[in-house]
């Protein structure tokens, strides 16, 4: 898995995302429609999402989708309550969705198996249809991202997002219309790698960063922080805009760069007071967002207009993946093989 | 609210915690028993917890309690889905618990009001019985911590934990027996402030830290990181032991101090592989934990033996509150009034 050129696999996999979007929308949609129909038929009243790492950020996006579009109560599980403490919750009327790139993490397999025994409708969303997790769940969706060799997940993350989006949209009776333009929009964004290269220069030296967003974009802030941590070893810390004001704002000064994700829509609007507070205390602010929002930052990267907010996370993360890659390569690191990490992490 | 001596209010409020525990156990228990009886009678099938900041860490502890002791599916809400996106979820058979020190944050009041309209049984857990949040919920529990003047919450946090513990224990038919020794055990721990003073010297200079734990102790890791961020402006980052291995471990090297909370019990045992990995990569490890576990770290602080794991979070956090205080004062900062923060944070 050692690549001869630093970050070669990560760069290639970032670049594949328009094609992966296209594949999920064409080849993946029928399976998603079938699973959504079965889920709708079973009419769960509560949803629990289970995941770790990057997939946990995709699960958080799924939480927003299901809370807002399906108006269901949704929780993210703490897998240890079943795998470490042996809890056997009563889960009839519950849908449990396990999200995992490899489908191989023992704690997810075990907690999915237990959830199924406890009466939940279980669905695994993985990039590995032959995995133990896919077999443990009653239903399975393949995110169709193809083999991912770089340790930092990129195309599997956005493929998970799109699969979860289509699931939610079909479940509520849609047909994924709002996602149709994703392949073209993603290709346009990735063509702007020169802009990201320039931005990466600004982050050549800091060893701390903060990312922030609200609502649908909050998973993007978390995933961006994780990518930057994994590849560049920067202490990148994500906060929802509301939580940032409840304490962590104290540690942000002009030497801690802040990246805010501010798409058009209600979540972006709700972040405005946070941007004001950051500006007041002279934070170094970069805005990834709508053309109007990026004027709030010292630097910025404009997202395309006309994209529904619930679809935007599949685009917002692309410049941030590129940024993580560029910062790492600029620091002489190999983002494909971060120190201390393996591609499949086995936690119990 | 400016104190004449740096950190005077925070130090006093940390010191009050044995008395607050005693008050909750004696004066608070009857109200908790009555609320628990009503909750048990209504027999919710799903629980949602809503909170921000320090109270969100108390809510996370509540999540573990209810998942493990009551074997219920539990979620932490994203308040923005109702307050920003206007979702109106179907919440019959749901218990929604809002946890807040001040009871004054508009987003919690609004999301509690909406939850009640949507059919949930609502319970507010606050330190402000006359607050708008207490009035918005059908049921209310006062955590009886008394006025808290220091911006970083300490005694209100542990009072929230104990109130949630008693709620869970009465709900399942107990009488809070396992918490009886808390006042005496807490007083013993706080008497060991000289040990914490020595430990604070070790953290005189770093601007990054990592805290980690699993299970019941994970909220302690998060709350410790928040206290250290608020008071000393260190980028203190909490990870569950499992999540740490899924990416963030890459940024931990010998210059990033790690504090692990490792109580006796299943959660502490489950963290052992994480401690091994940290030791392998020469992390600077401090263990707050059982006498056996602290030998794993370069430095440590021993917790009393014989305490059930679900009660331990009310003790584990005490040395970490003292540590946050000592680091801040050692750096010439006033932990009572962190820059950029107000006591009541109004988020929408």
């Amino acid at each position: 898995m050692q690549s001869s050129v630093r970050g070669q696999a990560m760069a290639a996999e970032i670049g594949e995302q328009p094609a992966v979007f296209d594949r999920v929308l064409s080849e993946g949609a029928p399976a998603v429609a079938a699973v959504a129909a079965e889920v709708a038929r079973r009419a769960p009243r509560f949803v629990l999402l289970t995941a770790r790492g990057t997939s946990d950020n995709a699960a958080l996006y799924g939480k927003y989708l299901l809370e807002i579009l399906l108006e269901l109560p949704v929780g993210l599980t703490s897998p240890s309550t079943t795998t470490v403490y042996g809890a056997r919750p009563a889960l009839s009327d519950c849908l449990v969705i396990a999200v995992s790139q490899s489908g191989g993490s023992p704690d997810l397999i075990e907690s999915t198996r237990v959830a199924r025994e406890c009466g939940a409708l279980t669905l695994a969303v993985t990039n590995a249809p032959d995995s133990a997790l896919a077999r443990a769940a009653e239903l399975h969706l393949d995110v169709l991202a193809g083999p991912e060799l770089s340790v930092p997940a990129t195309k599997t993350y956005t493929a998970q997002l799109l699969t979860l989006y289509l699931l939610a949209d079909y479940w509520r009776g849609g047909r994924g219309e709002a996602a149709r333009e994703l392949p073209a929009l993603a290709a346009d964004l990735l063509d702007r790698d020169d802009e990201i290269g320039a931005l990466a220069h600004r982050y050549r030296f800091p060893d701390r960063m903060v990312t922030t967003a609200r609502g649908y974009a909050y998973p993007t802030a978390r995933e961006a922080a994780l990518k930057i941590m994994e590849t560049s070893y920067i202490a990148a810390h994500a906060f929802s805009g509301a939580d940032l004001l409840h304490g962590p704002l104290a540690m942000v000064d002009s030497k801690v760069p802040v990246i805010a994700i501010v798409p058009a829509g209600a979540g972006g609007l709700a972040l405005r007071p946070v941007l004001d507070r950051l500006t007041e205390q002279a934070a170094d602010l970069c805005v990834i967002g709508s053309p109007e929002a990026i004027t709030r930052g010292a630097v910025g990267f404009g997202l395309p207009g006309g994209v529904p907010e619930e679809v935007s996370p599949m685009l917002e993360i692309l410049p941030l993946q590129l940024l993580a890659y560029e910062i790492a390569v600029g620091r002489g690191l190999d983002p494909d093989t971060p120190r201390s990490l393996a591609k499949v992490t086995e936690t119990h």
Side-chain angles (χ1 to χ4, degrees), chain A residues 269-294:
Chain A
L269 279 174
L271 198 70
R272 298 299 170 87
V274 179
L275 300 183
D276 292 342
R277 287 289 298 276
L278 288 166
T279 304
E280 274 168 34
Q281 60 191 83
D284 182 274
L285 183 61
C286 171
V287 173
I288 310 283
S290 65
E292 196 276 321
I294 63 169

Side-chain angles (χ1 to χ4, degrees), chain A residues 56 58 78 95 121 133 265 277 292 305 324:
Chain A
D56 198 35
S78 310
L95 168 64
L121 171 60
L133 182 61
R277 287 289 298 276
E292 196 276 321

Side-chain angles (χ1 to χ4, degrees), chain A residues 232-297:
Chain A
S232 303
Y233 317 144
I234 295 171
H237 213 147
F239 298 98
S240 91
D243 284 326
L244 187 61
L245 301 184
H246 284 262
L249 192 68
M251 70 157 184
V252 178
D253 61 25
S254 61
K255 289 169 295 183
V256 179
V258 179
I259 298 180
I261 299 98
V262 196
L269 279 174
L271 198 70
R272 298 299 170 87
V274 179
L275 300 183
D276 292 342
R277 287 289 298 276
L278 288 166
T279 304
E280 274 168 34
Q281 60 191 83
D284 182 274
L285 183 61
C286 171
V287 173
I288 310 283
S290 65
E292 196 276 321
I294 63 169
T295 62
R296 300 294 195 95

Side-chain angles (χ1 to χ4, degrees), chain A residues 101-118:
Chain A
Q101 174 257 125
S102 71
S105 191
D107 54 353
L108 294 193
I109 298 163
E110 171 68 6
S111 63
T112 300
R113 193 187 63 70
V114 169
R116 193 170 177 180
E117 279 178 13
C118 292

Side-chain angles (χ1 to χ4, degrees), chain A residues 3 5 22 28 69 75 81 94 134 166 168 176 205 212 249 252 269 271 274 276 284 295-297 304 314 331 335-336:
Chain A
S3 54
V5 177
D22 195 50
L69 302 184
T81 60
C94 278
L166 292 176
F205 296 108
T212 189
L249 192 68
V252 178
L269 279 174
L271 198 70
V274 179
D276 292 342
D284 182 274
T295 62
R296 300 294 195 95
M314 294 172 255
R331 291 180 180 213
D336 283 349

Side-chain angles (χ1 to χ4, degrees), chain A residues 98-106 108-109 112 116 123-143 344:
Chain A
V99 186
S100 168
Q101 174 257 125
S102 71
S105 191
L108 294 193
I109 298 163
T112 300
R116 193 170 177 180
L123 164 63
V125 176
T126 80
N127 195 37
D130 296 326
S131 63
L133 182 61
R135 287 193 302 272
E138 181 177 344
L139 303 173
H140 176 254
L141 285 172
D142 184 348
V143 304
V344 179

